[in-house]
Amino acid sequence: MSKQKQRSSRHRHRPRNGRERRPAATEPEGVITLPFTKMHGLGNDFVVLDMISHPVNLTTEQIRQLSDRNLGIGFDQMLVIDAPRRPDADFSYRIFNGDGTEVEHCGNGARCFARYVLERGLIANAPVRVQTANRLLELHDDGDHQYRVDMGEPDFNPESLPFSAEPALEYSLQLPEEVRFFAASMGNPHIVLLTDNCDKAPVHELGSKLCTHSAFPQGVNVGFMQIIDRDNIRLRVHERGAGETLACGTGACAAVACGIRAGLLNHTVHVELRGGSLNINWQGEGYPVLMSGPAESVFEGTIKLTITADQETAHGNRR
Ligand SMILES: N[C@H](CCC[C@H](N)C(=O)O)C(=O)O
């Protein structure tokens, strides 16, 4: 059986066209009950929505409200699972920061995605191929809730962030104080600053200033990397659209790739973040970055949402 057929036979109730959908429970006019799952990767926390079974297009404002840790559910990012949009993928998934902005990649989220679809039998077994806005990821299950993700290749071209500068190993900005940093895209934009002590790094003050600096028209994630030795780093990340998180998977990949490219690190690095640790491997130009780490599922819930008429239509149409 061709790989394509093998792949489709691995899906339980998941015809390619995604047509079989169970509408979210609908209550009085415009109110729906939306099931969600709360998950995290090293404390970087997510709300996971299954848009195949419960289709609804949330507005930016609704995402912001749901991310509020007092008024909503609370999360760093929302992961939205959907049917694949290309034949070589098993699923697609969309990622939204807590501020409602949609982004291209989420490393900790990819591991949680893998656990979600495998534990629910939405696919028979790993590897799971999932497409994001601009990448195709391959997710592997290493057992004991440890997952390994082929994160794709780092892109060191500053235009990929975007950041208008001549390609270089290291860059600088006058804030007015001079700040030096590496830059890489993992599908989403990262800059990485070296620090001799993560605990004392000005993650919030400097991170928030750089994250929204005009040099980065689409914003940027700001990592603070402390090199312990060639096999171990500590890392804190001020994330675009979320602030400092307890861990950042794409940030760990970007930091290690930049460190290896600068000749400061070996090819497999243990990354200690505030929420725990990841193992990152990168063999160099032309190779993908491989990330290994845990994914935890915390609780299931439902939330009532008032949706507008056109969302209702979209909701209805996607049944
Ligand atoms: N804030 C990031 C997206 C989430 C990345 C992070 N949570 C990860 O695990 O990679 C951005 O705006 O590009």
Side-chain angles (χ1 to χ4, degrees):
M1 197 163 33
S2 76
K3 193 159 184 166
Q4 187 55 39
K5 283 211 173 43
Q6 276 170 357
R7 212 179 279 295
S8 56
S9 68
R10 287 165 38 205
H11 294 71
R12 182 175 67 80
H13 312 314
R14 294 281 174 198
R16 282 243 150 274
N17 56 21
R19 242 197 287 284
E20 252 179 65
R21 297 173 187 278
R22 290 191 304 279
T26 304
E27 301 186 9
E29 182 63 21
V31 176
I32 61 168
T33 300
L34 203 56
F36 66 85
T37 300
K38 191 75 177 22
M39 303 185 80
H40 74 86
L42 302 177
N44 177 201
D45 67 333
F46 310 106
V47 156
V48 184
L49 299 181
D50 178 351
M51 279 299 140
I52 300 173
S53 307
H54 299 86
V56 62
N57 295 320
L58 299 178
T59 65
T60 301
E61 189 44 42
Q62 285 171 327
I63 295 170
R64 277 203 198 108
Q65 285 165 6
L66 292 173
S67 77
D68 188 300
R69 295 188 185 282
N70 299 99
L71 306 177
I73 306 166
F75 55 78
D76 291 329
Q77 280 87 31
M78 173 182 277
L79 311 179
V80 176
I81 297 174
D82 214 333
R85 298 188 305 275
R86 48 187 284 181
D88 57 351
D90 299 306
F91 299 94
S92 64
Y93 101 114
R94 299 176 69 184
I95 304 140
F96 298 87
N97 284 321
D99 67 357
T101 52
E102 184 165 4
V103 293
E104 311 87 344
H105 204 343
C106 179
N108 291 319
R111 300 195 314 276
C112 289
F113 182 98
R115 178 166 179 173
Y116 184 97
V117 296
L118 287 164
E119 266 187 350
R120 284 162 181 73
L122 303 186
I123 187 166
N125 44 46
V128 182
R129 291 170 68 84
V130 58
Q131 70 183 107
T132 69
N134 57 15
R135 294 200 167 203
L136 183 66
L137 310 178
E138 194 160 275
L139 317 177
H140 299 264
D141 181 353
D142 287 341
D144 196 22
H145 303 322
Q146 296 290 318
Y147 299 87
R148 182 166 28 95
V149 182
D150 173 336
M151 297 283 283
E153 293 183 42
D155 185 343
F156 298 104
N157 178 349
E159 281 312 307
S160 68
L161 266 59
F163 167 53
S164 53
E166 282 305 307
L169 182 65
E170 203 179 9
Y171 301 93
S172 71
L173 275 178
Q174 304 301 129
L175 287 189
E177 75 278 14
E178 183 188 41
V179 176
R180 303 188 63 77
F181 53 88
F182 302 117
S185 170
M186 286 305 302
N188 60 340
H190 289 269
I191 60 173
V192 182
L193 288 70
L194 290 176
T195 176
D196 55 17
N197 185 336
C198 263
D199 298 329
K200 297 201 171 95
V203 176
H204 174 69
E205 181 209 347
L206 185 52
S208 48
K209 213 183 275 184
L210 286 166
C211 183
T212 54
H213 192 284
S214 57
F216 308 104
Q218 289 178 18
V220 71
N221 299 285
V222 186
F224 294 79
M225 171 166 66
Q226 177 185 349
I227 295 181
I228 308 298
D229 58 38
R230 294 186 60 85
D231 305 307
N232 296 279
I233 66 168
R234 295 183 64 215
L235 181 71
R236 289 173 67 186
V237 181
H238 179 97
E239 285 198 29
R240 175 180 64 169
E244 182 176 8
T245 54
L246 291 178
C248 179
T250 51
C253 295
V256 168
C258 288
I260 292 170
R261 184 171 181 253
L264 303 172
L265 297 174
N266 290 331
H267 289 293
T268 299
V269 178
H270 184 263
V271 181
E272 188 196 323
L273 301 122
R274 289 179 59 197
S277 58
L278 295 170
N279 281 312
I280 307 293
N281 171 279
W282 184 52
Q283 294 303 317
E285 294 285 330
Y287 288 88
V289 180
L290 304 178
M291 171 191 65
S292 297
E296 301 302 336
S297 194
V298 184
F299 66 89
E300 313 278 338
T302 59
I303 190 154
K304 291 193 188 309
L305 270 184
T306 304
I307 59 176
T308 60
D310 53 0
Q311 278 182 300
E312 185 92 42
T313 318
H315 174 64
N317 289 346
R318 285 171 54 95
R319 279 202 181 98

